[in-house]
Amino acid sequence: MNRVSISKAREELAAIVSRAEYAGERTVIQRHGKARAVIVSVAQYVELERLAEAERDRLDIQAAEKSLAEPGENISLEQLIRELGD
């Protein structure tokens, strides 16, 4: 992964974007030696978003399974709405 300072990124932005788009190169933008942002291709960004969504779904399923395993009565959404509506 390529690392550049913000000032160098300004100078080379077109080239950095082209390398991301056509070569899939990721570039870390640094300020004062610390990573602050990353330039990636749209395809890589879409894949990262897809993976993040899959992870959120996995965590939601895990939480639901844990909740269902807890002792006590489980009721349907419809039943809950009826009970809260009364």
Side-chain angles (χ1 to χ4, degrees), residues 2-79:
N2 191 24
R3 294 179 176 270
V4 298
S5 67
I6 289 177
S7 58
K8 186 171 181 176
R10 281 189 194 112
E11 294 170 9
E12 299 180 8
L13 184 59
I16 291 170
V17 170
S18 290
R19 288 193 304 269
E21 182 179 9
Y22 298 111
E25 181 179 292
R26 294 170 289 191
T27 301
V28 176
I29 309 299
Q30 297 180 313
R31 181 187 305 144
H32 305 297
K34 292 185 179 181
R36 302 298 180 175
V38 179
I39 296 178
V40 298
S41 69
V42 171
Q44 289 173 337
Y45 173 76
V46 168
E47 180 65 9
L48 288 170
E49 284 294 307
R50 186 190 67 74
L51 291 170
E53 181 66 26
E55 178 64 7
R56 284 189 293 271
D57 289 348
R58 187 188 69 75
L59 292 173
D60 286 347
I61 290 168
Q62 195 175 50
E65 289 171 343
K66 181 180 177 187
S67 179
L68 288 171
E70 290 177 357
E73 182 184 352
N74 294 308
I75 62 172
S76 69
L77 177 60
E78 291 79 15
Q79 184 180 348

